[in-house]
Amino acid sequence: MTFEMSRGRFMALGAGAVGAASTHLALYPYAGEFALPRHYDVVDDHRDIVPVPGGRDDLTMIGPNGFRQEYAGSATGPGAAVQAGTTIDAASPLA
């Protein structure tokens, strides 16, 4: 599974899964990005654009096996141009 994000006036989120089974992810908003949590069943690749109201975001992505990533920051601060990614290798004994 891979998860990537980039921040600006809108936050671009992408997730991908390898294999036939889907991966369920839930995205929780804590800065008013949207009204309710968003749920995704990712089979191959999935992209979503999240508005960043007031130039600040605070999101938490929850997934299987304790997967949790939190993103919070400013669209104009020093981390605004940061792009981050995570890859989980299902064949790894730590996965």
Side-chain angles (χ1 to χ4, degrees), residues 11-37:
M11 180 179 274
L13 301 169
V18 177
S22 68
T23 300
H24 184 81
L25 301 171
L27 183 63
Y28 291 87
Y30 293 104
E33 294 89 353
F34 39 90
L36 298 170

Side-chain angles (χ1 to χ4, degrees), residues 5-89:
M5 60 75 69
S6 61
R7 178 179 286 131
R9 198 170 134 223
F10 292 90
M11 180 179 274
L13 301 169
V18 177
S22 68
T23 300
H24 184 81
L25 301 171
L27 183 63
Y28 291 87
Y30 293 104
E33 294 89 353
F34 39 90
L36 298 170
R38 293 184 181 180
H39 295 268
Y40 310 96
D41 284 314
V42 179
V43 177
D44 291 322
D45 288 321
H46 180 80
R47 302 266 181 238
D48 196 3
I49 303 297
V50 176
V52 180
R56 295 203 56 81
D57 59 86
D58 189 357
L59 300 163
T60 299
M61 178 71 75
I62 306 291
N65 299 324
F67 176 82
R68 178 186 179 104
Q69 287 193 343
E70 298 181 29
Y71 297 96
S74 167
T76 58
V82 169
Q83 292 186 347
T86 299
T87 299
I88 300 171
D89 182 356

